[in-house]
Amino acid sequence: MQRIIHLATNPGDLVLDSFLGSGTTAAVAHKMGRRWIGIELGEHCHTHCIPRLQKLIDGKDPGGITKAFEWRGGGGFRYYRLAPSLLEKDKWDNWVISKDYNPTMLAQAVCKLEGFTYAPSDSHYWQHGHSTERDFLYVTTANLKHAQLQQLSDEVGPERSLLVVCTSFRGSKNGYPNLTVKKIPKAVLNRCEWGHDDYSLRVENLPAAPPPEGQQELFAD
Ligand SMILES: C[S@@+](CC[C@H](N)C(=O)[O-])C[C@H]1O[C@@H](n2cnc3c(N)ncnc32)[C@H](O)[C@@H]1O
């Protein structure tokens, strides 16, 4: 692995192993000063890859190229678990919300897809997320009728706005000045991409890395 990574990359480059196995690619890349992305389907991600890479970061991995590269530990990694697909086809070939999703997961996923920060409120059931201090998002699988939308609109009031993402609704889409009403799955389907040759990564949607320990935040007190 050292030979391949040396020939094909420079320090700081990203090395991708989408079949991480026991984590050798990531381990070697890390010690060689490359950044890396590893993807693994199996449970050995938890039993092998993570403990191995953690040991390496802690400077407790004497094997492989440690000696040759005078590796003493350092760096880090972020770990994410991929959620199941939000949408699936029912027996009539219609897109529906996957049964694997509970209301919390659904609200989190829709917030992410719509560019809102998931932050459910204790006091307002309709505040699942926000994009600004006055702009909120509400996700529900309910079929909203005019009376409910009107009540929501009254509660939101003239100073705030609300994006309502529901399964279906009755009433005029544009009848409430402070509400934007969208239907799942259409609202979600518009955000998904299938069948492309090139899936350009929307890097701005990735969560920011926490600042390294000891590093001042730009606007810290
Ligand atoms: C032979 S190992 C890979 C070895 C590894 N690349 C290395 O250099 O040490 C193949 C791994 O791919 C994983 N795998 C198979 N299909 C996968 C998929 N669709 N997504 C992610 N990992 C997958 C398997 O669980 C297995 O651990």
Side-chain angles (χ1 to χ4, degrees):
M1 284 313 305
Q2 183 221 328
R3 206 162 190 194
I4 294 169
I5 291 173
H6 173 74
L7 286 171
T9 68
N10 292 313
D13 279 355
L14 262 178
V15 175
L16 169 72
D17 187 348
S18 54
F19 303 92
L20 194 61
S22 56
T24 304
T25 310
V28 177
H30 195 100
K31 288 178 190 170
M32 293 176 70
R34 273 64 167 173
R35 296 173 301 143
W36 50 269
I37 297 172
I39 304 171
E40 178 49 58
L41 182 77
E43 258 315 297
H44 47 286
C45 179
H46 301 108
T47 55
H48 291 73
C49 302
I50 293 177
R52 177 182 186 177
L53 292 161
Q54 194 56 60
K55 238 171 97 182
L56 179 158
I57 283 158
D58 294 342
K60 294 177 184 156
D61 170 17
I65 61 168
T66 289
K67 236 182 177 168
F69 279 74
E70 296 178 7
W71 176 254
R72 293 192 188 88
F77 60 87
R78 286 185 277 162
Y79 164 76
Y80 300 100
R81 183 188 280 271
L82 277 184
S85 275
L86 174 57
L87 298 177
E88 61 187 17
K89 291 256 178 123
D90 68 8
K91 58 181 171 180
W92 295 284
D93 216 30
N94 295 320
W95 287 109
V96 291
I97 299 163
S98 160
K99 285 179 279 301
D100 291 333
Y101 272 70
N102 60 35
T104 303
M105 285 166 75
L106 177 64
Q108 286 172 336
V110 174
C111 279
K112 186 156 187 56
L113 289 168
E114 291 288 341
F116 282 64
T117 303
Y118 175 70
S121 155
D122 291 333
S123 44
H124 298 295
Y125 71 93
W126 47 268
Q127 288 183 8
H128 283 144
H130 57 78
S131 68
T132 66
E133 275 177 25
R134 292 165 186 270
D135 187 36
F136 299 92
L137 180 140
Y138 172 49
V139 187
T140 175
T141 50
N143 171 13
L144 295 175
K145 299 191 175 64
H146 167 68
Q148 291 159 301
L149 286 167
Q150 188 58 59
Q151 190 188 342
L152 266 174
S153 175
D154 294 343
E155 278 191 45
V156 171
E159 304 290 323
R160 298 179 290 203
S161 53
L162 180 68
L163 171 59
V164 182
V165 185
C166 56
T167 312
S168 62
F169 63 92
R170 286 204 191 161
S172 161
K173 195 176 170 180
N174 303 316
Y176 317 92
N178 50 3
L179 304 186
T180 305
V181 190
K182 287 187 185 178
K183 276 201 265 187
I184 314 171
K186 198 161 173 259
V188 174
L189 273 173
N190 289 341
R191 303 275 177 188
C192 301
E193 296 179 54
W194 279 284
H196 290 217
D197 288 336
D198 164 33
Y199 287 96
S200 305
L201 188 63
R202 291 196 203 154
V203 176
E204 74 270 19
N205 289 343
L206 292 176
E213 225 169 279
Q215 181 180 306
Q216 283 276 309
E217 294 228 25
L218 194 54
F219 299 108
D221 292 336

